Amino acid sequence: MTAANPIRVLVADDHPLLREGIAAVLAGQADIDLVGEASDGREALECFRQLRPDVTLMDLQMPHMNGIDSILAIRGECPDARIAILTTYRGDVRALHAIQAGAQAYLLKSTLRKELVETIRSLAAGKRHIPPEIAADLAQHIGQQCLSPREVEVLQAAALGYSNRDIALQLRITEDTVKGHMRLIMDKLRANNRTHAVAIAVQRGVLEIGTPL
């Protein structure tokens, strides 16, 4: 792309300051044009439909529709869409889900100043961009056992401060069953205790803190 025919970019993130920061960085690039902004996943989908940008920068966690669901919707309508995930997290589960949904790039917000512009240019040129640390996380954890849906429920309840007895009541299972789930969870995550298990699960994107049961 050239200044006469710039790369058209859409950014979707629910934090205005981040969008402003991205706009400021891109304003100095003659070959890149920020054509639209969205503050949630649904708005991102509508903006994409209207603008058909060359590259979309998509936050993972947004109201109404999260980034991964928005990617799936966009790619369902436009399989050639070029999309980069914007996230604070380097959790391998989020990365894997984003890539499986169709994202071709994974940008940590902490590295935007250094990598944003070149990532946009790479995507527009048909290339992919997965940071080495994300690729390393994927390689490290890809062979590990995943938590079952029930184990995620149990760990989410533990993250919210519920005791084993309370978890059993909430999920309508026995307290011994809860204890069994917790043992398996800690084994799969290689955690020392339930607090450690919650921390690992949040880091890897298995849990979202604050998500209700």
Side-chain angles (χ1 to χ4, degrees):
M1 298 288 180
T2 65
N5 186 25
I7 302 167
R8 302 173 69 255
V9 175
L10 166 66
V11 58
D13 194 288
D14 59 335
H15 292 94
L17 287 177
L18 183 75
R19 298 199 306 271
E20 290 174 12
I22 289 174
V25 172
L26 298 185
Q29 307 301 320
D31 62 333
I32 300 174
D33 187 12
L34 182 60
V35 297
E37 298 182 24
S39 59
D40 62 59
R42 289 178 187 169
E43 189 178 354
L45 177 57
E46 289 304 317
C47 285
F48 184 91
R49 287 168 173 164
Q50 295 171 15
L51 300 170
R52 292 292 175 174
D54 299 306
V55 173
T56 299
L57 307 176
M58 185 80 69
D59 188 22
L60 275 179
Q61 294 178 282
M62 294 185 290
H64 306 306
M65 178 187 285
N66 65 42
I68 290 175
D69 288 342
S70 188
I71 290 171
L72 287 168
I74 288 171
R75 294 274 295 181
E77 296 182 14
C78 183
D80 295 330
R82 309 296 294 170
I83 303 171
I85 280 291
L86 288 173
T87 181
T88 305
Y89 307 99
R90 55 181 286 177
D92 58 288
V93 174
R94 290 187 182 92
L96 184 60
H97 289 175
I99 292 166
Q100 289 173 335
Q104 298 92 356
Y106 194 93
L107 272 171
L108 292 169
K109 293 179 181 179
S110 60
T111 66
L112 285 182
R113 285 188 177 274
K114 182 173 65 174
E115 299 188 8
L116 176 63
V117 171
E118 287 308 312
T119 298
I120 290 172
R121 289 173 180 154
S122 293
L123 278 182
K127 301 176 183 177
R128 298 171 65 88
H129 175 81
I130 308 296
E133 63 269 28
I134 298 299
D137 284 347
L138 283 168
Q140 179 181 355
H141 298 299
I142 199 73
Q144 291 184 2
Q145 290 178 287
C146 295
L147 300 188
S148 70
R150 175 61 90 186
E151 287 165 352
V152 172
E153 285 183 311
V154 169
L155 191 57
Q156 182 67 64
L160 294 173
Y162 288 97
S163 66
N164 287 345
R165 182 175 180 278
D166 291 333
I167 295 171
L169 290 172
Q170 287 282 343
L171 301 181
R172 297 182 180 179
I173 56 180
T174 68
E175 192 170 346
D176 284 341
T177 299
V178 173
K179 292 177 182 177
H181 282 312
M182 288 302 305
R183 283 193 295 271
L184 285 173
I185 289 166
M186 287 188 284
D187 183 55
K188 288 181 179 181
L189 296 180
R190 300 177 185 176
N192 300 323
N193 51 52
R194 60 199 291 155
T195 302
H196 188 207
V198 168
I200 292 171
V202 170
Q203 183 183 30
R204 289 183 53 190
V206 176
L207 288 186
E208 304 289 347
I209 290 296
T211 303
L213 285 175

